[in-house]
Amino acid sequence: MNSNKVIVVAGGTGNVGTFLVASLLGSGATVVVPSRSEQKINDLKRHLSEQFNESSLNRLHAYQGNLSEENEAADLRQRIIQHTGEPDGVVATLGNLIPAPSLLEVGLSDLDNVIKGYLHAHFMAAKTFLPVLRDHGGNYVFINGPLALKPWKGSGAGLVSIATAAQQMLFKLLTQELEESRANISEVITYAFIRNKQTQPGSALTGEVLGDFVCRLSTGALNYAHGQTFQLRSSEEAKNLLREMEKS
């Protein structure tokens, strides 16, 4: 159980984020979710109320604010620390797909929006919370997708490939920069297919298994190397990897 752990989930109201929040709540952790949208916060609470009792939901703390704006991000961090305590871990699962049939058919504004949704958002989340973990210790987990590793064409995948490849370089650079600090940084590349807060048919990796894996990383339940990347293609692969890490 993680009754003494405070974990921030940036992007916790999203499809992947909802599974991460649920796993963390189920483990006993106190979960902090910052969001610009009050409606998304209410939707998250409504969704989780189907799985958890009031006592568990009392460990979910939502803060309305914009992590992508420096002044608001600093204010959010201060409010979180003041009311919930310094985080023991942070998970960043951020991004906004913009449908586009071809790179040559999108506008510069489309590219800007995808970069803001992925790279900009991850940069600001890291800039906001990594200094706390650097000084006091804790685990920071970047959530990324396979488009960062391989170019896929169509349906806006090209734009996401560009943004998430840059996001992975951000992860690598921060890992290098904070190598001697107390922060422990990792990256999870997830192949899960999740929409409408549900694992979709045909997805070899379920949201529940992904959530359990990330929960253990972010709470420090697993021993792993600073800067390590974990590719999770299926639930079986994730469970096998967990068993191997628990033995080490």
Side-chain angles (χ1 to χ4, degrees):
M1 296 294 288
N2 296 299
S3 58
N4 62 336
K5 299 289 186 177
V6 176
I7 309 296
V8 175
V9 182
T13 62
N15 288 321
V16 172
T18 297
F19 281 99
L20 307 185
V21 171
S23 291
L24 286 161
L25 284 177
S27 79
T30 294
V31 186
V32 175
V33 177
S35 176
R36 288 175 293 182
S37 170
E38 184 178 7
Q39 180 63 52
K40 288 183 178 181
I41 290 172
N42 291 335
D43 289 345
L44 173 66
K45 291 179 177 178
R46 189 179 305 111
H47 179 82
L48 292 173
S49 68
E50 300 173 5
Q51 305 173 51
F52 297 99
N53 58 30
E54 185 177 354
S55 176
S56 295
L57 289 175
N58 285 338
R59 289 185 280 104
L60 173 62
H61 301 270
Y63 293 84
Q64 191 172 1
N66 188 355
L67 266 181
S68 295
E69 296 294 334
E70 287 193 89
N71 290 336
E72 281 197 54
D75 175 68
L76 265 174
R77 179 180 59 206
Q78 185 60 33
R79 281 192 283 148
I80 289 168
I81 292 173
Q82 181 178 353
H83 296 115
T84 317
E86 291 177 349
D88 300 289
V90 177
V91 183
T93 172
L94 302 157
N96 183 29
L97 175 68
I98 298 207
S102 163
L103 284 178
L104 298 181
E105 295 179 26
V106 302
L108 185 59
S109 62
D110 295 318
L111 178 61
D112 286 342
N113 287 334
V114 172
I115 288 177
K116 286 178 181 177
Y118 285 91
L119 181 61
H120 187 165
H122 275 276
F123 175 79
M124 283 305 303
K127 182 178 173 65
T128 301
F129 295 110
L130 266 174
V132 179
L133 303 183
R134 174 195 62 197
D135 296 337
H136 301 281
N139 305 284
Y140 193 101
V141 184
F142 284 86
I143 304 297
N144 208 340
L147 293 176
L149 307 178
K150 181 180 178 180
W152 291 8
K153 63 181 179 180
S155 302
L159 291 177
V160 176
S161 286
I162 293 169
T164 53
Q167 176 188 317
Q168 188 176 59
M169 184 55 69
L170 172 67
F171 153 71
K172 291 179 179 179
L173 286 167
L174 287 170
T175 294
Q176 185 181 67
E177 184 172 317
L178 298 180
E179 189 172 7
E180 303 300 325
S181 79
R182 299 182 64 187
N184 197 19
I185 305 173
S186 63
E187 177 189 45
V188 172
I189 296 178
T190 168
Y191 288 70
F193 180 26
I194 299 173
R195 281 185 179 170
N196 301 320
K197 296 180 171 58
Q198 299 292 331
T199 305
Q200 297 302 294
S203 178
L205 175 65
T206 68
E208 289 84 2
V209 172
L210 171 62
D212 180 50
F213 191 94
V214 174
C215 172
R216 298 197 199 186
L217 284 181
S218 61
T219 58
L222 298 171
N223 291 319
Y224 59 95
H226 172 71
Q228 191 166 349
T229 292
F230 303 93
Q231 289 197 53
L232 305 183
R233 297 177 179 84
S234 69
S235 294
E236 182 181 6
E237 183 179 48
K239 291 176 181 178
N240 288 337
L241 185 54
L242 279 175
R243 283 192 287 267
E244 291 175 9
M245 294 171 72
E246 286 168 347
K247 290 178 184 178
S248 62

